[in-house]
Every structure is written in C-alpha cells, then in structure tokens.
Amino acid sequence: MRRLIKYIEFVNEKIGLLCGWIILVMTLTVTFDVIMRYFFSRPTDWSLELNMYLLVGASFLSGGYCLLHEGHVRVDVLYQAFPIRVRALVDVITSAFFFLFVIVIIWKGSSMAYESFVHSKHSSQAMGWPLYPSQMVIPLGGILIGIQGLAKLLENIVILVTGNAQKQNL
C-alpha cells in the first residue's frame, strides 16, 4: 500500500511541476501579446485562445497536486482541535462526497469531450481549434485528483487503525 501511495504522490508531484510550466508559457504568451499590441499595434490572434486552453489544463490537472499539498479550502476551526484519529474519521466520512464529485467530473467531462470529438466541434475564436483536446483534460484532472483522494483515504484508514500519522508506517 505504501508503494501505491508513493507512486500516486509522485505522479501528482510531476503533474504539478508541469502545471507550473504551463503557467510560465501562459505568462510569456500574454507578455508577448501585450508587447505586440501596445508597441507594434499588431495583437496576436492566437494568444487569447491558446491561454484559454492552457488555463483549462493548469486548472484541472493541478487538482491532485493541490490535494497532495493540502492546498484546497477547508474549514479548520474545529478540525484542527480534533485528535488525529477523529480527523482521520472525519476525512474518511467526507471522502464519500469527494468521490461523488470526482465521479461527476470524470463522467460529464468524458461525455463532453467525446461529443466534441465525434461531432468535430471547434472553438468560435479566431483560430478555430478543436475543442476535444482541452475537454479531455477535464476527466484526466478528475482522475488525478481522484487517485490522490484515494491515497489520502488509504492514509486516513491507516491512521484510524494504527493511530499513527507518520507516512513511513503506511
């Protein structure tokens, strides 16, 4: 089980690094577009559309990374005061809602991407790029956050059983 959790964490760590590079590319293309627009009066046609695609990627792919580093919003007023086993129990119980959300993201995202692919849907922006590549990122992001949620669930089950939160005991 420890090996599975470490592998999931490794994958999401690398995807988080990829998202950082995506944000860098977005920053560079926006900067380029601003320079072209204001200094040369020649705005690009592709920059806005490319950045919309990249934003979808960065947003959805980074969910697992964010969960790995406990970056998602949580109300901790009472939670932090609980003993470690009670926190693990709360996390196990609330994981049902989490996995329901993940299933909907994967299901609806896959359906949307499939429809775009089958019907050859393209964006209405200047470049008219196909929609399915960016839409396929949505279920992929759902899978990444889902497997990270599975790793977190396994860690919480170990905490419930052993009462120990140290990752090396998994």
Side-chain angles (χ1 to χ4, degrees), residues 140-159:
L140 178 59
I143 291 168
L144 290 169
I145 196 170
I147 62 172
Q148 188 60 51
L150 177 63
K152 187 168 174 35
L153 177 63
L154 293 173
E155 288 176 359
N156 284 318
I157 290 170
V158 169
I159 292 169

Side-chain angles (χ1 to χ4, degrees), residues 117-134:
F117 179 76
V118 168
H119 298 294
S120 190
K121 293 184 179 179
H122 288 73
S123 77
S124 61
Q125 300 293 320
M127 300 307 290
W129 289 338
L131 292 175
Y132 74 89
S134 66

Side-chain angles (χ1 to χ4, degrees), residues 12-169:
N12 276 310
E13 193 68 45
K14 295 303 177 192
I15 295 292
L17 181 64
L18 172 67
C19 289
W21 286 106
I22 290 172
I23 299 295
L24 177 64
V25 169
M26 290 174 66
T27 303
L28 294 174
T29 58
V30 167
T31 302
F32 177 76
D33 188 47
V34 167
I35 290 170
M36 293 302 292
R37 179 182 316 267
Y38 290 105
F39 293 110
F40 301 105
S41 297
R42 309 263 309 163
T44 63
D45 291 334
W46 51 267
S47 178
L48 177 63
E49 190 168 1
L50 174 64
N51 280 301
M52 287 190 296
Y53 276 69
L54 292 176
L55 182 61
V56 170
S59 299
F60 279 92
L61 294 177
S62 63
Y65 175 83
C66 191
L67 184 60
L68 171 64
H69 293 284
E70 298 188 16
H72 289 284
V73 175
R74 171 174 60 202
V75 179
D76 306 351
V77 176
L78 296 174
Y79 182 84
Q80 290 299 336
F82 293 154
I84 189 76
R85 278 189 162 156
V86 174
R87 279 187 271 173
L89 179 62
V90 168
D91 286 344
V92 167
I93 292 168
T94 58
S95 68
F97 299 108
F98 169 80
F99 287 114
L100 180 63
F101 169 75
V102 167
I103 289 167
V104 170
I105 291 291
I106 295 170
W107 170 39
K108 289 302 201 176
S110 298
S111 174
M112 182 175 53
Y114 176 76
E115 288 296 317
S116 291
F117 179 76
V118 168
H119 298 294
S120 190
K121 293 184 179 179
H122 288 73
S123 77
S124 61
Q125 300 293 320
M127 300 307 290
W129 289 338
L131 292 175
Y132 74 89
S134 66
Q135 292 173 343
M136 288 184 344
V137 170
I138 296 168
L140 178 59
I143 291 168
L144 290 169
I145 196 170
I147 62 172
Q148 188 60 51
L150 177 63
K152 187 168 174 35
L153 177 63
L154 293 173
E155 288 176 359
N156 284 318
I157 290 170
V158 169
I159 292 169
L160 279 174
V161 172
T162 66
N164 193 346
Q166 294 181 356
K167 287 192 175 198
Q168 64 263 23
N169 291 335

